[in-house]
Amino acid sequence: MSKTILITGASSGIGKATAKLFQEKGWNVVATMRTPEKETELTTLDNVLVTRLDVLDQDSITKAVELGIEKFGKIDVLVNNAGYGAFGPLEATPRENIIRQFDVNVIGLLDVTK
């Protein structure tokens, strides 16, 4: 039986490249992103489930995990890739932006891991 990997932030960059690499190696891939309806490449690959997951949305996390298990029977590996960087001087960054980045990059990562 093939192993299954769930990858957050698979719409571009490292997340998308990781999804393609694991699919090429014969793994089942749950490629998650905030807007899966925009994805055109990963949706054409065998053994890839493209589904919605926003690390700030608990329901979407639960649903993505459930869909992955429903399709592939289990999830063996998690690549918690979703996140972003805000650049610029800290003293010029609005507090709300700092809180959002912390929520995405730290709290979101913890919520998906759970």
Side-chain angles (χ1 to χ4, degrees):
M1 179 183 255
S2 295
K3 292 200 177 215
T4 301
I5 187 168
L6 185 145
I7 304 167
T8 65
S11 62
S12 65
I14 292 171
K16 188 170 197 168
T18 302
K20 290 177 0 184
L21 175 69
F22 275 85
Q23 187 274 341
E24 288 170 7
K25 299 289 185 186
W27 285 55
N28 300 316
V29 177
V30 183
T32 71
M33 56 199 71
R34 287 180 295 161
T35 54
E37 62 277 1
K38 293 181 180 178
E39 177 55 45
T40 58
E41 185 178 5
L42 295 177
T43 55
T44 66
L45 301 176
D46 292 333
N47 298 325
V48 175
L49 169 66
V50 175
T51 191
R52 181 177 182 281
L53 188 153
D54 181 337
V55 299
L56 297 179
D57 179 352
Q58 291 284 321
D59 290 338
S60 77
I61 296 168
T62 301
K63 179 81 172 185
V65 170
E66 288 173 351
L67 288 172
I69 292 171
E70 181 180 307
K71 180 159 180 81
F72 299 120
K74 62 182 178 160
I75 296 173
D76 299 292
V77 176
L78 168 63
V79 174
N80 236 332
N81 172 69
Y84 73 98
F87 303 99
L90 180 62
E91 62 274 10
T93 304
R95 185 174 192 280
E96 297 77 28
N97 293 13
I98 295 167
I99 291 169
R100 178 169 170 72
Q101 185 174 7
F102 190 85
D103 283 347
V104 169
N105 294 351
V106 179
I107 304 300
L109 179 140
L110 294 172
D111 286 342
V112 174
T113 302
K114 286 171 108 183

